Amino acid sequence: MEERESASAAACGTLLFAVNGERFELSAVDPSTTLLEFLRTQTRYKSVKLGCGEGGCGACVVLLSKYDPVHDEVEDFTVSSCLTLLCSVDRCSITTTEGLGNCKDGFHPIHERFAGFHASQCGFCTPGMCMSFFSALVNAEREPRSKPPLGFSKLTVSEAEKSIAGNLCRCTGYRPIADACKSFAADIDMEDLGTNAFWKKGDSKEEKISKLPFYNTNDQISTFPEFLKTAIRSYPLLNPKRYGWYTPVSIKELQSLLESDIYEHGASLKLVVGNTSTGYYKELDPCYKYIDLRYIPELSMIRRDQMGIEIGAAVTISKAILALKEGKKNEAHSQGKAVFQKLAFHMEKIASGFVRNSASVGGNLVMAQQNHFPSDIATILLAVGAMVNIVTNLQHEKLTLEEFLARAPLDSRSLLLSVYIPCLEPVKNGTTRTDTKLLFETYRAAPRPLGNALPYLNAAFMAEVTLHKPSNGIIIESIQLAFGAYGTKHPIRAREVEEFFAGKLLSIEVLYEAIKLLRAIVVPVLALQVLPTGKQVVESSQKYYPVGEPIIKTGAAIQASGEAIYVDDIPSPKNCLHGAFIYSRKPLAWIRGVKIKSKYVQDGATTIISHRDIPKNGENIGSAAMFGSELLFAEDLTLCAGQRLALVVADTQKVADMAAESAIVDYDMENLEPPILTLDEAVERSSFFNVPPFLHPEQIGDFTKGMAEADHKILSAEIKLGSQYYFYMETQTALAIPDEDNCMLVYSSSQCPESAHSVIARCLGVPAHNVRVLTRRVGGGFGGKAIRAMPIAAACALAAHKLRCPVRMYLNRKTDMIMAGGRHPMKIKYSVGFKSNGKVTALHLDILINGGLDADISPIMPSNMVGCLKKYDWGALSFDIKVCKTNHSTKSAMRAPGEVQASFIAEAVIEHVASVLLIEVDTVRNINLHTFDSLNLFYKDTAGERCEYTLPSIWDRVASSSCLPQRIEMIQLFNRCNKWQKRGISRVPIVHEVLVRATPGKVSILQDGSIVVEIGGIELGQGLWTKVKQMTAFALSSIQCDGSEELLEKVRVIQSDTLSLIQGGFTAGSTTSESSCEAVRLCCNILIERLTPLKDKLLEQMGSVKWETLILQAYMQALNLSTNSMYVPDLTSMQYLNYGAAVSEVEVNLLTGETRILQADIIYDCGQSMNPAVDLGQIEGAFMQGVGFFMLEEYRTNSDGLVVADSTWTYKIPTIDNIPRKFNVEVLNSGHHQKRVLSSKASGEPPLLLAVSVHCATKAAIREARKQLSSWRETGLDKSDLVFQLEVPATMPVVKELCGLDNVECYLKSLVSSS
């Protein structure tokens, strides 16, 4: 029956495909619909997540399978479902992570190992990670390799790690994800795998293997169902009239299509292969007709002959790589084949695997030719003399790639057919030279070594050289030099330099002259890594069992299998509409009108919601904090770029986004003062936020006296710090549903549902009891889902209230990045006095903080900053900190707000002192570390007991465990022996002050003995639910019934509901887990008190009592088995200090500015950790987020303050190839802390501060480079060589500039001068 249906569908040319083996047949579809849109809106499969819509994050990755009926073979590969058009998967099969396993039928070993290795925190990225790895697993099994050991795959460790190189994760720091993947590899050393829930310390290799969830290579998932194979055999293509999807099978047919009436409206027609260009060049207008080029043989062929390889323009980059690896026909070992291999190796660093699998070679070259895309392929093919074939009106033309790139952009009736890559062999006078060698190298300077990032610069060089026997030198017979991606329109050949080199004997003098020539040609328009290993040291404690055990994070397995529900996964109610914000592009302007284009009204954009739609008794309020509120929508005047002006409401999210992006806003700047866009302008115009007196930090000591005691002084040194974007994987989202009696139900991805609740009620002008906000889990927060999430919930509620239907919104990544605000930028001036031995006697700081438009949490910044500035004994510390109000987007709390900047400022001062004195930085740090007495002076009551001050022992311990003295010597030797790589190492401490807030909890015991827990805190991925479950099981086990030691599996923590548990507060500041646990313990103590008399009575009667029996009897006797409590810390336990230290070692490439983290060693004091595995994940994840801030992430704005780093293309968070090659972390269980919750301490934010060690180590390496450069310049060592500021972030261009843009030229000049 199914086969007859498939045959019928095929005969009609309908769209037929499978998802996880389930048959889908669509009689009609909008051809612009992506696979992700369809899966998320038309199926039950919600694991594919929209993280960016650009193919840049991997959250939407699925496995796409195609069947070849001729060879009876299935091809499996990953694709980005956010870019893949639904019509392009006709007769294909899709597998999502739900198709691998689930909680009912059993999880796949991938799911189980991701959970067991603690590789999922917020979980939003996990399904995509699982599918990227599953694809590698499936394809490895097809390789003709030796049979792996039982329970393992054919994958190698390297392949396992690289399989997820294109996937982003903001939570984990990647190490546990890599471990989960590596555990499948046949060549894995079990000792290299980190902390997990499967085995215990001391288990043998055999025991470890036996405890891993078993992977059976014979138990493979069928990725392609039989019914699709039947359909493919008849294989008519889609009916173009029904779908607007054309599939020509010849060039002639394509040409006819282009000349037909379907092209009358050119803007609505698009030629596609993989549609990946939309990830970079966003489509502002919908497209209604597509021409699929994949079925034209000339475009899809790969042809080899003795002279080279011809690759069709529609061939994917992945297939081109395979073809190049195979090389030239009938030639096993030639110099030409080596060129092909290097081309393939370079192309493997382009984008990510799941993009390369769809993106075509021709599409990449056409983007370079038409749109000046910074293509790597164009550059490397230019160097090898590639040719291209073009057809225009059936007229064929062959051009060199150089000619193709230089000509006018291809018009709509011209088509790139293929690219021909010659297989070059050394040739002279028409014969092959055996004494001539062909040399070929490619280069790529990019933020991520393994790819998934556009290059700052790329290049490829090919040369024919011969040995000059008299001098034993090398003659350059010919050379081809290609450079690209440095801001020019397209790659170029450096012809003048090539001609200069030709026929010359290579020498220092020749190189020097060539470099000088090249400098005039390659003028920027704008100014292989080994994968990680390491060890984790954690100690579990049985004292409060199961508290202290490294159990698996609650929900990790269902996050991996895609069954965990996030706000946008909730099915849309009937008649649900979708919203998108129209935001200002101007920093200060009158708004005279806002409208959307008429075509979007026709497509389903129903209305615009603005401040005029606020109900009569409501307020125009978008968020509220203790320091004031923020407008939901600008009224007559917009006060910053990115401010919300209105909300477009449409039938679909896509139409809403397009309508909002192309909205017409009438601005008027008449009679307005200039906007305040710099901190200096804010000072000039006295534009500051008020900081309440109770938040004014105290000055310490007498600054004047301290400066008088100093032997040396640094006066008015300046530092500038930029912002950082949260880059939570799940963008801001909410769903509002009108309920009976003028009530509103809102699902919000929020860190503070209680505050969102209040804002919504005020906005709608209804009593608070008419609003209910639910939050189950959040796909990453980092502070950005606190106050900044409220306007999204409020806007949805307002629209739903007005339109009387459900309204939901999921911000696209660009809008989210523009409106988020992020971390506070700063300008700092400091003056410091110090002794000749490095001991600081006085420090004064003038700090200007850019708070943006609204107060938000900005008034707490001075207090936060001073708390971390006090990490050293400065003798005397004074400061003047101003929080500036500017016409920038509102800045908000981001993980360690103010503290991470303060930690950097402290280290910058210490490094400056060391540079002036010409002594080791570590010595200066040592001498300025606090004694317990000075700690008491600076922190007063927060310092705690003497035994709690663990920093001195941690400081010594991390030096010992990291072998710091020996490595310093090794680095000194390395730097003496290496000209173009320099290493640096740095050890830094942290002292981080945290505040414990009042938090509610509720525990209810159900009739069967299972337990339901509600808490005020929100699960963000930090393991809050896990620790609460452990605490509940521990606290209730004190009843000492039979089976009470197994209560952990009976506990379920449920979603936050603002009408069920009130006063939930903020989930922020790293302490919500411990305060929630204590609130739950108070509840459990009350329940134990109620149950104990009954238990004692039953014991007398029965001799022993099971937990289930006790609870059943309690129900029968009408005992109240539900209670709630509020944990309110007393003044002596409200604040405390956290300690840690890190040693980081980096290597800087002086030619490119690339910085690699070779090793990081961290020791962090968690008190007595409630869950060492969870805390370990927090430490590693925080550290890597800090690495992003200090080394990678540029949150740039234009001159109007509008964010321009608004995509995964322009904003780079760390990936797996940015983490330390060796990553050693010790979670220190430091013993009893009387005033802490079961002696535990916070772990979410403080470790982020340790990432400054990477920046300091980089500065140390640059200092060595500058010393070397000064010796080449023969100018002598200047003070500026040692005393310099390294910007934050220390990106490749920044590092390269400090190492010397002309360092090669200087080196060659020095050699020429000395010869």
Side-chain angles (χ1 to χ4, degrees):
M1 179 67 181
E2 193 175 60
E3 289 186 5
R4 286 201 299 274
E5 288 178 354
S6 300
S8 174
C12 297
T14 57
L15 180 59
L16 179 68
F17 57 95
V19 181
N20 298 328
E22 183 179 346
R23 185 177 186 273
F24 287 88
E25 183 181 346
L26 306 181
S27 58
V29 68
D30 178 348
S32 68
T33 301
T34 65
L35 177 58
L36 179 137
E37 285 177 73
F38 176 79
L39 290 172
R40 291 195 58 78
T41 61
Q42 304 298 319
T43 78
R44 56 194 168 91
Y45 304 114
K46 306 291 187 181
S47 67
V48 285
K49 308 298 185 189
L50 179 58
C52 65
E54 301 168 335
C57 74
C60 70
V61 166
V62 298
L63 186 78
L64 190 147
S65 303
K66 292 184 176 181
Y67 176 63
D68 178 359
V70 176
H71 299 97
D72 191 26
E73 290 178 348
V74 174
E75 179 187 9
D76 298 302
F77 53 91
T78 51
V79 295
S80 285
S81 62
C82 71
L83 301 179
T84 304
L85 294 169
L86 185 62
C87 288
S88 72
V89 305
D90 185 37
R91 276 54 172 182
C92 295
S93 179
I94 306 300
T95 305
T96 71
T97 193
E98 292 103 327
L100 308 187
N102 55 66
C103 62
K104 290 183 178 179
D105 304 321
F107 294 111
H108 191 280
I110 292 176
H111 300 152
E112 294 175 310
R113 296 195 193 183
F114 263 70
F117 277 97
H118 312 290
S120 182
Q121 288 187 22
C122 88
F124 202 80
C125 71
T126 310
M129 293 276 186
C130 289
M131 292 315 299
S132 288
F133 180 67
F134 177 69
S135 175
L137 207 60
V138 167
N139 285 298
E141 296 308 322
R142 294 178 180 154
E143 292 292 320
R145 300 175 183 175
S146 59
K147 189 175 180 180
L150 191 65
F152 293 89
S153 73
K154 291 182 180 180
L155 278 173
T156 65
V157 166
S158 177
E159 289 169 339
E161 290 173 317
K162 288 180 180 179
S163 69
I164 46 102
N167 294 72
L168 301 185
C169 173
R170 192 55 148 168
C171 298
T172 65
Y174 299 100
R175 193 272 315 158
I177 300 173
D179 279 353
C181 297
K182 289 192 298 184
S183 72
F184 287 85
D187 59 341
I188 184 62
D189 181 347
M190 300 298 286
E191 294 299 317
D192 287 343
L193 298 177
T195 300
N196 61 77
F198 303 122
W199 59 74
K200 295 181 179 179
K201 189 175 181 180
D203 283 355
S204 66
K205 178 182 177 182
E206 292 71 24
E207 287 175 312
K208 291 178 178 179
I209 292 172
S210 70
K211 291 178 180 179
L212 275 175
F214 185 67
Y215 172 66
N216 187 351
T217 55
N218 298 319
D219 187 19
Q220 294 299 312
I221 293 169
S222 174
T223 59
F224 205 94
E226 287 299 320
F227 76 82
L228 266 184
K229 293 182 180 180
T230 304
I232 283 174
R233 293 188 179 102
S234 47
Y235 208 87
L237 300 172
L238 289 181
N239 184 335
K241 292 182 180 178
R242 185 185 297 176
Y243 297 98
W245 187 270
Y246 298 82
T247 49
V249 295
S250 68
I251 296 294
K252 187 174 182 180
E253 186 180 347
L254 172 64
Q255 205 71 42
S256 297
L257 279 172
L258 294 176
E259 293 171 0
S260 69
D261 59 359
I262 73 159
Y263 204 72
E264 288 179 1
H265 305 288
S268 66
L269 177 70
K270 184 178 181 182
L271 278 64
V272 294
V273 176
N275 197 47
T276 55
S277 64
T278 57
Y280 190 73
Y281 299 107
K282 306 297 186 296
E283 293 181 347
L284 299 182
D285 296 314
C287 187
Y288 302 109
K289 294 177 183 178
Y290 291 81
I291 299 179
D292 187 346
L293 303 177
R294 295 174 300 162
Y295 297 97
I296 301 173
E298 295 94 326
L299 297 182
S300 301
M301 61 79 196
I302 297 175
R303 186 181 297 123
R304 296 180 183 81
D305 58 28
Q306 289 293 323
M307 302 304 293
I309 297 179
E310 185 176 7
I311 297 174
V315 171
T316 66
I317 296 173
S318 291
K319 288 187 176 179
I321 290 169
L322 290 175
L324 289 166
K325 285 182 175 179
E326 291 175 16
K328 192 175 73 169
K329 191 175 181 181
N330 301 326
E331 190 68 47
H333 303 288
S334 69
Q335 294 185 52
K337 183 171 183 177
V339 172
F340 287 166
Q341 297 276 3
K342 289 184 177 181
L343 288 172
F345 180 73
H346 188 108
M347 288 167 71
E348 285 179 328
K349 296 181 179 181
I350 296 170
S352 56
F354 46 80
V355 171
R356 294 194 298 268
N357 292 336
S358 302
S360 65
V361 172
N364 185 284
L365 291 175
V366 169
M367 285 201 302
Q369 202 263 354
Q370 288 185 335
N371 307 104
H372 308 148
F373 178 74
S375 165
D376 280 275
I377 294 177
T379 301
I380 61 178
L381 294 187
L382 188 62
V384 298
M387 307 286 291
V388 296
N389 293 306
I390 298 172
V391 62
T392 305
N393 297 324
L394 297 180
Q395 298 297 312
H396 288 256
E397 186 178 7
K398 183 173 281 190
L399 302 170
T400 66
L401 180 57
E402 187 176 20
E403 291 169 337
F404 171 70
L405 294 171
R407 75 184 321 187
L410 287 183
D411 62 30
S412 57
R413 301 182 187 272
S414 297
L415 185 72
L416 175 64
L417 287 180
S418 64
V419 58
Y420 183 78
I421 309 171
C423 186
L424 300 172
E425 299 292 342
V427 174
K428 192 162 187 179
N429 299 326
T431 61
T432 301
R433 290 280 300 270
T434 57
D435 62 338
T436 300
K437 281 195 173 183
L438 190 68
L439 304 178
F440 179 69
E441 292 294 341
T442 70
Y443 305 90
R444 188 174 199 271
R448 296 171 178 159
L450 294 181
N452 201 22
L454 291 177
Y456 293 115
L457 171 72
N458 54 36
F461 308 152
M462 186 168 71
E464 287 186 32
V465 299
T466 55
L467 180 66
H468 183 249
K469 292 182 180 178
S471 66
N472 205 29
I474 292 173
I475 294 177
I476 301 173
E477 301 289 351
S478 66
I479 192 168
Q480 294 171 200
L481 306 171
F483 298 88
Y486 58 91
T488 187
K489 289 182 178 179
H490 54 75
I492 64 160
R493 286 270 299 277
R495 292 281 184 182
E496 191 175 342
V497 183
E498 292 174 1
E499 292 169 5
F500 171 78
F501 269 126
K504 286 188 171 63
L505 181 67
L506 191 60
S507 67
I508 298 298
E509 291 80 6
V510 167
L511 273 176
Y512 178 55
E513 291 302 320
I515 291 288
K516 289 198 293 184
L517 278 175
L518 190 63
R519 183 174 290 279
I521 297 169
V522 179
V523 181
V525 175
L526 299 170
L528 175 74
Q529 183 164 338
V530 177
L531 286 157
T533 62
K535 65 180 181 181
Q536 297 79 46
V537 180
V538 298
E539 288 182 44
S540 60
S541 169
Q542 297 286 317
K543 184 175 181 181
Y544 306 116
Y545 182 87
V547 173
E549 286 293 297
I551 68 168
I552 293 174
K553 178 188 169 291
T554 299
I558 61 170
Q559 287 172 183
S561 67
E563 297 168 278
I565 302 297
Y566 300 82
V567 171
D568 199 52
D569 297 333
I570 299 169
S572 291
K574 187 178 180 181
N575 300 322
C576 185
L577 298 175
H578 301 257
F581 285 123
I582 298 171
Y583 53 82
S584 172
R585 264 76 168 178
K586 300 292 183 182
L588 185 62
W590 299 107
I591 304 299
R592 301 305 186 192
V594 178
K595 61 182 180 180
I596 56 176
K597 294 179 179 177
S598 58
K599 65 179 175 181
Y600 293 111
V601 176
Q602 297 168 7
D603 288 338
T606 60
T607 190
I608 292 179
I609 304 290
S610 71
H611 70 92
R612 296 180 180 86
D613 297 293
I614 303 289
K616 183 179 179 181
N617 297 321
E619 300 177 45
N620 183 13
I621 180 172
S623 68
M626 65 183 296
F627 306 109
S629 60
E630 171 188 8
L631 295 179
L632 178 57
F633 296 116
E635 296 180 347
D636 297 326
L637 189 68
T638 178
L639 296 170
C640 76
Q643 187 177 19
R644 296 173 298 277
L645 304 181
L647 182 77
V648 175
V649 182
D651 292 339
T652 68
Q653 190 67 61
K654 179 165 70 175
V655 171
D657 285 339
M658 285 185 166
E661 181 66 21
S662 60
I664 300 167
V665 180
D666 184 8
Y667 298 102
D668 182 357
M669 269 75 81
E670 189 177 354
N671 299 323
L672 289 174
E673 289 187 0
I676 299 172
L677 293 171
T678 69
L679 290 167
D680 290 336
E681 288 169 353
V683 173
E684 287 172 15
R685 291 160 68 173
S686 298
S687 180
F688 305 117
F689 289 111
N690 178 53
V691 178
F694 74 92
L695 285 174
H696 286 177
E698 291 185 21
Q699 317 263 341
I700 297 157
D702 185 334
F703 174 74
T704 304
K705 181 181 177 184
M707 290 297 274
E709 294 172 354
D711 299 329
H712 308 271
K713 296 175 185 176
I714 297 170
L715 302 176
S716 299
E718 188 171 296
I719 302 171
K720 289 182 180 179
L721 291 171
S723 187
Q724 183 182 21
Y725 171 59
Y726 306 99
F727 215 106
Y728 26 62
M729 294 301 294
E730 171 202 47
T731 58
Q732 303 281 9
T733 181
L735 165 62
I737 305 172
D739 205 347
E740 63 182 19
D741 198 21
N742 202 28
C743 291
M744 187 66 64
L745 170 62
V746 180
Y747 295 89
S748 175
S749 181
S750 172
Q751 292 178 236
C752 46
E754 179 197 16
S755 298
H757 181 132
S758 173
V759 165
I760 292 166
R762 289 172 62 184
C763 180
L764 301 184
V766 298
H769 62 53
N770 280 30
V771 176
R772 183 184 181 201
V773 179
L774 300 180
T775 303
R776 182 174 296 181
R777 60 173 58 83
V778 172
F782 318 113
K785 297 279 180 70
I787 295 172
R788 307 317 305 154
M790 295 179 199
I792 288 77
C796 286
L798 175 62
H801 180 82
K802 176 180 172 62
L803 302 173
R804 300 182 183 181
C805 67
V807 175
R808 75 188 315 162
M809 178 161 42
Y810 187 81
L811 262 59
N812 62 57
R813 184 60 70 178
K814 177 180 179 180
T815 302
D816 197 291
M817 296 189 77
I818 285 172
M819 293 174 55
R823 202 179 285 285
H824 291 74
M826 297 181 185
K827 180 179 178 182
I828 305 100
K829 284 188 177 181
Y830 63 87
S831 297
V832 59
F834 47 97
K835 298 285 190 179
S836 296
N837 64 354
K839 179 67 186 77
V840 176
T841 57
L843 172 64
H844 176 80
L845 296 146
D846 292 302
I847 302 176
L848 299 176
I849 301 171
N850 189 341
L853 179 60
D854 294 295
D856 201 280
I857 58 89
S858 294
I860 72 165
M861 291 291 287
S863 177
N864 280 17
M865 292 190 70
V866 172
C868 277
L869 280 167
K870 296 188 293 187
K871 65 190 278 188
Y872 289 114
D873 177 7
W874 303 111
L877 175 64
S878 68
F879 40 80
D880 180 13
I881 306 177
K882 291 182 171 65
V883 184
C884 301
K885 179 180 172 71
T886 66
N887 294 107
H888 282 275
S889 58
T890 300
K891 309 308 171 189
S892 191
M894 182 174 178
R895 201 175 195 174
E899 291 124 341
V900 66
Q901 295 99 321
S903 190
F904 171 78
I905 294 165
E907 298 306 334
V909 172
I910 291 289
E911 298 228 330
H912 199 166
V913 169
S915 296
V916 169
L917 294 175
L918 300 178
I919 61 178
E920 290 295 327
V921 179
D922 203 60
T923 303
V924 179
R925 289 194 174 100
N926 246 322
I927 201 169
N928 287 292
L929 282 182
H930 280 294
T931 64
F932 183 67
D933 291 337
S934 66
L935 188 79
N936 258 320
L937 173 65
F938 275 65
Y939 287 98
K940 299 186 176 178
D941 295 339
T942 312
E945 302 296 325
R946 185 178 294 271
C947 63
E948 295 178 298
Y949 182 43
T950 55
L951 183 58
S953 61
I954 290 173
W955 186 248
D956 294 337
R957 185 172 179 143
V958 78
S960 174
S961 64
S962 67
C963 304
L964 180 61
Q966 299 92 319
R967 284 168 61 200
I968 289 173
E969 291 181 8
M970 291 169 62
I971 288 169
Q972 290 171 346
L973 177 62
F974 178 90
N975 288 340
R976 286 196 296 271
C977 298
N978 289 270
K979 288 185 178 64
W980 304 113
Q981 288 85 31
K982 298 295 179 185
R983 291 180 179 175
I985 194 167
S986 179
R987 174 175 56 156
V988 302
I990 59 164
V991 179
H992 188 286
E993 194 171 24
V994 295
L995 174 70
V996 183
R997 297 181 180 86
T999 307
K1002 181 179 179 181
V1003 179
S1004 304
I1005 306 174
L1006 304 184
Q1007 191 169 354
D1008 65 351
S1010 59
I1011 303 150
V1012 176
V1013 181
E1014 293 181 68
I1015 48 176
I1018 304 300
E1019 177 59 61
L1020 312 169
Q1022 81 280 43
L1024 170 59
W1025 283 6
T1026 312
K1027 290 181 177 180
V1028 165
K1029 279 184 67 172
Q1030 290 174 277
M1031 177 62 89
T1032 305
F1034 160 70
L1036 289 179
S1037 67
S1038 65
I1039 194 70
Q1040 295 183 335
C1041 286
D1042 292 349
S1044 61
E1045 69 278 0
E1046 298 173 359
L1047 289 179
L1048 186 65
E1049 296 307 313
K1050 295 183 181 294
V1051 181
R1052 178 178 293 277
V1053 184
I1054 62 173
Q1055 65 189 4
S1056 168
D1057 181 338
T1058 56
L1059 288 185
S1060 177
L1061 188 69
I1062 64 169
Q1063 298 173 281
F1066 278 61
T1067 300
S1070 303
T1071 58
T1072 308
S1073 291
E1074 63 200 73
S1075 56
S1076 295
C1077 283
E1078 186 61 16
V1080 166
R1081 183 162 68 151
L1082 293 175
C1083 293
C1084 293
N1085 290 344
I1086 295 170
L1087 293 172
I1088 293 295
E1089 187 177 340
R1090 293 174 185 172
L1091 286 167
T1092 298
L1094 176 59
K1095 188 208 78 167
D1096 292 343
K1097 183 179 178 181
L1098 292 173
L1099 271 177
E1100 289 179 13
Q1101 296 173 358
M1102 305 168 62
S1104 65
V1105 183
K1106 289 187 176 181
W1107 170 260
E1108 290 81 2
T1109 303
L1110 174 64
I1111 299 308
L1112 185 59
Q1113 288 295 319
Y1115 264 79
M1116 293 175 68
Q1117 296 190 25
L1119 280 183
N1120 182 359
L1121 294 185
S1122 181
T1123 187
N1124 64 309
S1125 68
M1126 173 70 80
Y1127 166 58
V1128 182
D1130 61 42
L1131 291 176
T1132 62
S1133 59
M1134 188 176 289
Q1135 289 180 288
Y1136 64 90
L1137 300 180
N1138 294 271
Y1139 307 110
V1143 173
S1144 291
E1145 179 183 352
V1146 306
E1147 181 176 294
V1148 171
N1149 184 320
L1150 274 57
L1151 299 174
T1152 65
E1154 178 188 356
T1155 302
R1156 293 190 301 159
I1157 310 174
L1158 302 181
Q1159 183 170 330
D1161 295 82
I1162 295 171
I1163 298 178
Y1164 181 74
D1165 181 1
C1166 273
Q1168 289 191 25
S1169 172
M1170 291 189 186
N1171 186 316
V1174 165
D1175 287 332
L1176 174 66
Q1178 289 293 287
I1179 294 165
E1180 293 178 339
F1183 182 82
M1184 287 311 300
Q1185 196 168 80
V1187 168
F1189 175 65
F1190 287 116
M1191 303 301 295
L1192 290 169
E1193 300 175 35
E1194 296 180 278
Y1195 201 18
R1196 298 189 307 276
T1197 62
N1198 65 14
S1199 58
D1200 284 332
L1202 182 69
V1203 170
V1204 292
D1206 57 8
S1207 70
T1208 55
W1209 292 94
T1210 53
Y1211 191 86
K1212 296 300 179 185
I1213 70 170
T1215 56
I1216 191 171
D1217 43 335
N1218 297 118
I1219 73 175
R1221 280 173 50 181
K1222 193 171 184 180
F1223 200 0
N1224 302 319
V1225 181
E1226 180 179 351
V1227 180
L1228 181 68
N1229 272 1
S1230 59
H1232 186 63
H1233 299 271
Q1234 183 178 354
K1235 295 180 181 179
R1236 305 277 59 79
V1237 177
L1238 298 189
S1239 296
S1240 67
K1241 300 181 78 173
S1243 62
E1245 292 175 293
L1248 188 145
L1249 280 57
L1250 292 170
V1252 72
S1253 60
V1254 175
H1255 190 274
C1256 294
T1258 303
K1259 192 172 183 180
I1262 294 171
R1263 188 176 290 109
E1264 294 302 309
R1266 291 168 71 87
K1267 286 180 185 177
Q1268 177 178 264
L1269 186 61
S1270 68
S1271 70
W1272 291 341
R1273 286 174 171 161
E1274 297 179 353
T1275 56
L1277 196 61
D1278 188 78
K1279 183 180 177 181
S1280 64
D1281 296 323
L1282 302 177
V1283 181
F1284 58 92
Q1285 287 290 350
L1286 176 60
E1287 289 180 26
V1288 174
T1291 59
M1292 287 180 73
V1294 168
V1295 172
K1296 171 59 184 170
E1297 185 170 357
L1298 286 172
C1299 289
L1301 294 174
D1302 62 344
N1303 54 6
V1304 173
E1305 191 174 347
C1306 289
Y1307 170 64
L1308 294 173
K1309 185 178 180 180
S1310 70
L1311 294 180
V1312 170
S1313 301
S1314 61
S1315 61

